[in-house]
Amino acid sequence: MPSDFSNEDFMSNPSLAMDACFTAFDKDGDDRLSLAEFTLICRALFRNDKGHIYVVPSDRLEEMFAVFDKNEDGYIDREEFQFCWNQWIKTIVRPISAFLIVDVQNDFISGSLNISNCSAQQNGLEVIDPINKLLDTVEFDSVFYSLDWHPSDHVSFIDNIKQRPIHPTSPLNSDNAQVYDTVIFAGPPPMKQRLWPRHCVQDSWGSELHKDLKIVDQGIKVYKGTNPEVDSYSVFWDNKKLSDTTLCGQLRMKGASDIYVCGLAYDVCVGATAIDALSAGYRTVLIDDCCRGVDLNDIESTKQTVISNNGVIVNSREVKAMVEGRDRRPELGYKLAMELKNADSDLSKNNACRRQNQQQQGQQQGQQQPQPDRPQ
């Protein structure tokens, strides 16, 4: 019986494993799973590699159960369980991982935007050893390195502030704005912009990944911030969501389910990337000791935002077991269930719209049919 979903034989034959799982947890043998029996599945599913069972709040158990009880009869039958197994349990037990290392570049460590000079006074160099250890010891399914890659006339550089008109509502103008201040450029459209020292200019020493960071053979580099008119903190999108990077397509090609995020700076590009990963539907893990940031309050705010959106924050020593599916967090299971719920809802809406369009087209075609001549 799959007491903890850790048996390799249990996952080796998917169809037999699914039937075995259903039968094992169908305690009363009525060929359907009640909420109580689904709760037993979750107790077996959500535990760590030491056997510790994670407690799942009852309201979340009920929400997840409802996702798979598609006919809303209060039970999960075998057909409904097939969806639960294929789309939920298999992903939790055998996740597909992507390791995303954000902006570990010279300028953020010892160059023009050395984060140790910012208010949090954190040393960016400290992320390299734990990141390298993860690269040496954890078999991620894919590894990505992002790079800030700005043209010399980039909008975020304070020394470029006079190149663009300031909006009348901006609290500061080009004469009194200082580095790290926020101004509003006229656009169009008007755009808030935090001002940074010139950094990570394309093909400069400052834009290079730090020499001590391990670069794996199959690692994929993703360049961001290449548009001079808009900043790009997230590795997914620019700050205005006008265009995406190559990351979105690469993750789809890899079939990634879980994104592990770390790097520099915690409360700027790392945080924006983690939040976008969650928004895109990925089970997202922020690796705390592999990040350093700019402002302590903003770092704490970043953590709270990730947690409130069903992401998880962990230490690097916890990552290996999670990647291997031996440490299975209920927050990530809940996140996946809610994504399945939303996808199902969107599909239902699309199908309803399609049916409505077909009905309207049919009515229009009927109205266009030639009418028989009336007798004179």
Side-chain angles (χ1 to χ4, degrees), residues 278-282 334-344:
L278 288 162
S279 298
Y282 292 104
Y334 177 79
K335 168 67 175 175
L336 178 57
M338 294 304 101
E339 291 300 321
L340 293 171
K341 175 184 176 181
N342 293 336
D344 194 43

Side-chain angles (χ1 to χ4, degrees), residues 283-299:
R283 290 159 29 108
T284 303
V285 181
L286 189 54
I287 310 174
D288 186 61
D289 59 316
C290 294
C291 302
R292 294 294 184 271
V294 171
D295 180 89
L296 291 176
N297 289 330
D298 289 344
I299 291 171

Side-chain angles (χ1 to χ4, degrees), residues 14-30:
S15 60
L16 290 177
M18 180 178 67
D19 289 337
C21 181
F22 187 94
T23 301
F25 289 102
D26 179 18
K27 299 299 184 181
D28 57 9
D30 64 352

Side-chain angles (χ1 to χ4, degrees), residues 150-157 160 163-164 198 201 226-229:
H150 297 315
S152 61
D153 58 344
H154 196 255
V155 67
S156 72
F157 298 164
N160 289 337
Q163 293 183 10
R164 298 166 179 85
R198 177 173 291 267
V201 175
T226 59
N227 183 343
E229 299 305 324

Side-chain angles (χ1 to χ4, degrees), residues 41 75 208 223 260 280 354:
I41 291 179
Y75 296 92
E208 295 174 4
Y223 298 89
Y260 291 80
R354 190 177 299 111

Side-chain angles (χ1 to χ4, degrees), residues 99-101 128-140 142-145 212-216 219:
F99 187 24
L100 181 48
I101 302 165
I128 293 179
D129 282 348
I131 290 175
N132 285 348
K133 185 175 181 180
L134 286 173
L135 291 170
D136 286 334
T137 60
V138 180
E139 292 188 15
F140 295 99
S142 56
V143 176
F144 295 87
Y145 301 86
D212 293 334
L213 179 67
K214 180 176 182 177
I215 309 299
V216 298

Side-chain angles (χ1 to χ4, degrees), residues 7 10 45 67 80 102 114 131 186 217 222 238-239 241 259 269 279 285 300 324 332 336 360 368 371:
N7 190 326
F10 181 70
L45 195 58
V67 172
E80 291 167 332
V102 179
N114 182 343
I131 290 175
D217 290 339
V222 180
D238 65 58
N239 289 3
K241 298 290 193 294
I259 311 295
C269 296
S279 298
V285 181
E300 190 59 33
E324 294 175 352
L332 301 181
L336 178 57
Q360 291 174 346
Q368 294 170 0
Q371 300 296 318

